[in-house]
């Protein structure tokens, strides 16, 4: 079988070598399309692929229509909002993700941004410390749990809100559970977002929640830019000059931040949360193994479409 790795943002070479080892040792062929610049390159590359590994690359109905032999697509990562699941199902393509494999890298990036912001970009001016500050984890999943553990190491007071995780489980992990998003945002100077982007969550974080945050509040978004209501974000930044927004990827309203809110934001140009050798190896190898296993045994664990 031909396994195509199509990544607009390439994996580290060490990860690609390991993905190749796993794939070839199972008797499959590995083909690489890295750092591609246009959809047409992707459309051409998928034409004879039996399996596809992607990162945040968009797997649309158009891509699937070009991939006539495709049987399985694995998103090497957690969020699969880039896969058109309905189109996958309609074309009998199995879609999977690799949950948890890159979570620590994303959690560390949240702290890298928090520390840089807290020290005013190392520009010489006195900053502040994380110890003793409150942090709210919005969604206590794989990344949220790593953020909580690192926050404890910094001596932060850790809160979490997740309607899908029991209060008891959160409490047993030494974290204060909140019963609503409102409670979380009003209790915490830092809030770190870990909700997926779906029809329910898109644009769900906006003015009404952010206005509840205490003085010098910082919102950290290593989830998806789509979960932010950017009009609401801009409105609260206009009202409150003490807020900061740290986001792994630029919001659509980046130009306004650059013009008006200097020193109050950090935006990465490319999504960098999962961009470590370790995360690339973990997620990439997991994807390659899931594909090999699916071809060998039909194992559909981690399937995300119906
Ligand atoms: C994920 O959902 O796994 C992360 O957002 C990482 O995305 P990336 O593979 O595009 O870096």
């Amino acid at each position: 079988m031909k396994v195509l790795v199509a990544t607009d943002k390439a994996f580290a070479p060490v990860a690609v070598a390991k993905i190749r080892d796993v794939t070839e040792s199972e008797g499959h062929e590995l083909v690489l399309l890295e750092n591609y610049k246009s959809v047409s390159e992707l459309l051409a590359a998928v034409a004879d692929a039996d399996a596809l590994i992607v990162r945040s690359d968009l797997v649309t109905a158009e891509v699937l229509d070009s991939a006539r032999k495709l049987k399985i697509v694995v998103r090497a990562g957690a969020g699969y909002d880039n896969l058109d699941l309905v189109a996958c199902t309609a074309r009998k393509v199995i879609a999977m993700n690799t949950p948890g494999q890159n979570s620590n890298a994303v959690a560390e990036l949240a702290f890298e941004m928090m520390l840089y912001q807290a020290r005013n970009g190392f520009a010489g001016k006195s900053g502040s410390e994380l110890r003793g500050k409150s942090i709210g984890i919005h969604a206590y999943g794989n990344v949220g749990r790593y953020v909580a553990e690192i926050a404890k190491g910094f001596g932060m007071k850790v809160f979490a809100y997740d309607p899908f995780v029991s209060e008891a489980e959160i409490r047993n992990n030494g974290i204060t559970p909140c019963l609503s998003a409102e409670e979380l945002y009003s209790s915490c100077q830092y809030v770190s977002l870990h909700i997926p982007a779906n029809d329910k969550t898109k644009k769900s974080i906006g003015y009404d929640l952010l206005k509840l945050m205490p003085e010098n509040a910082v919102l950290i978004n290593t989830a998806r830019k789509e979960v932010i209501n950017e009009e609401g974000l801009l409105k609260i930044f206009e009202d409150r000059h003490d807020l900061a927004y740290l986001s792994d990827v630029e919001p659509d309203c980046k130009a306004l931040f650059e013009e008006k809110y200097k020193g109050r934001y950090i935006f990465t140009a490319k999504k960098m949360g999962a961009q470590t050798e370790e995360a690339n190896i973990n997620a990439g190898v997991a994807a390659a193994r899931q594909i090999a296993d699916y071809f060998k045994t039909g194992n559909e664990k981690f399937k995300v479409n119906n």
Side-chain angles (χ1 to χ4, degrees):
M1 299 282 182
K2 194 172 268 193
V3 179
L4 172 69
V5 175
T7 47
D8 143 62
K9 186 176 59 193
F11 285 123
V14 61
V16 175
K18 287 183 192 289
I19 294 168
R20 183 179 296 286
D21 279 354
V22 170
T23 304
E24 291 179 353
S25 70
E26 292 290 334
H28 305 300
E29 183 191 349
L30 189 87
V31 182
L32 275 182
L33 175 70
E34 291 182 318
N35 305 314
Y36 60 92
K37 298 285 171 259
S38 70
V39 177
S40 58
E41 288 176 70
L42 178 60
L43 297 181
V46 293
D48 59 352
D50 298 284
L52 175 61
I53 296 175
V54 292
R55 297 186 63 180
S56 289
D57 310 77
L58 296 183
V59 179
T60 59
E62 186 189 20
V63 171
L64 293 163
D65 282 339
S66 296
R68 293 280 172 194
K69 295 172 70 187
L70 197 69
K71 293 144 192 81
I72 177 168
V73 53
V74 182
R75 192 284 191 242
Y80 47 87
D81 46 309
N82 54 318
L83 309 182
D84 184 335
L85 296 185
V86 174
C88 285
T89 302
R91 289 157 185 77
K92 297 195 168 42
V93 172
I94 305 269
M96 294 185 184
N97 68 344
T98 66
Q101 300 291 348
N102 57 21
S103 306
N104 182 63
V106 178
E108 286 189 13
L109 185 82
F111 283 88
E112 282 150 7
M113 294 198 293
M114 285 160 67
L115 290 166
Y116 189 78
Q117 181 68 20
R119 296 301 181 101
N120 298 311
F122 311 142
K125 195 174 142 205
S126 277
S128 58
E129 301 178 20
L130 299 186
R131 178 168 296 278
K133 305 295 188 310
S134 51
I135 181 166
I137 317 287
H138 191 166
Y140 191 61
N142 289 316
V143 183
R145 285 165 204 246
Y146 277 109
V147 170
E149 287 313 303
I150 299 170
K152 285 186 206 164
F154 272 105
M156 300 183 85
K157 296 176 203 136
V158 188
F159 298 76
Y161 168 65
D162 191 325
F164 303 104
V165 179
S166 75
E167 233 186 286
E169 186 181 345
I170 293 174
R171 209 179 286 287
N172 286 343
N173 290 340
I175 295 158
T176 306
C178 291
L179 298 180
S180 65
E182 286 73 15
E183 188 188 338
L184 187 83
Y185 283 70
S186 43
S187 310
C188 299
Q189 181 182 345
Y190 288 88
V191 168
S192 191
L193 276 172
H194 304 293
I195 53 178
N198 57 39
D199 291 345
K200 287 211 175 78
T201 61
K202 281 181 187 165
K203 290 185 184 279
S204 65
I205 311 299
Y207 189 82
D208 289 345
L209 279 176
L210 299 177
K211 74 167 190 237
L212 302 174
M213 293 184 79
E215 210 184 340
N216 297 322
V218 181
L219 178 69
I220 307 108
N221 182 6
T222 54
R224 291 289 182 272
K225 72 172 180 178
E226 289 82 2
V227 301
I228 303 292
N229 178 321
E230 293 194 10
E231 291 96 70
L233 178 71
L234 289 168
K235 185 160 151 33
I236 194 73
F237 263 67
E238 234 3 77
D239 287 6
R240 297 227 344 226
H241 294 190
D242 59 313
L243 301 186
Y245 179 48
L246 318 180
S247 177
D248 186 20
V249 301
E250 299 164 338
D252 295 334
C253 60
K254 173 191 154 200
L256 278 170
F257 268 82
E258 286 174 344
E259 186 189 319
K260 297 169 95 171
Y261 307 126
K262 217 171 173 333
R264 297 171 57 193
Y265 66 89
I266 300 173
F267 303 144
T268 57
K270 272 238 179 208
K271 188 137 67 77
M272 290 302 294
Q275 204 55 330
T276 64
E277 286 187 351
E278 293 89 339
N280 290 173
I281 292 170
N282 293 343
V285 167
R289 288 213 175 103
Q290 286 170 216
I291 287 169
D293 201 29
Y294 173 70
F295 285 140
K296 196 190 270 179
T297 69
N299 186 350
E300 293 188 358
K301 192 175 172 195
F302 303 117
K303 182 178 171 188
V304 292
N305 60 335
N306 296 317

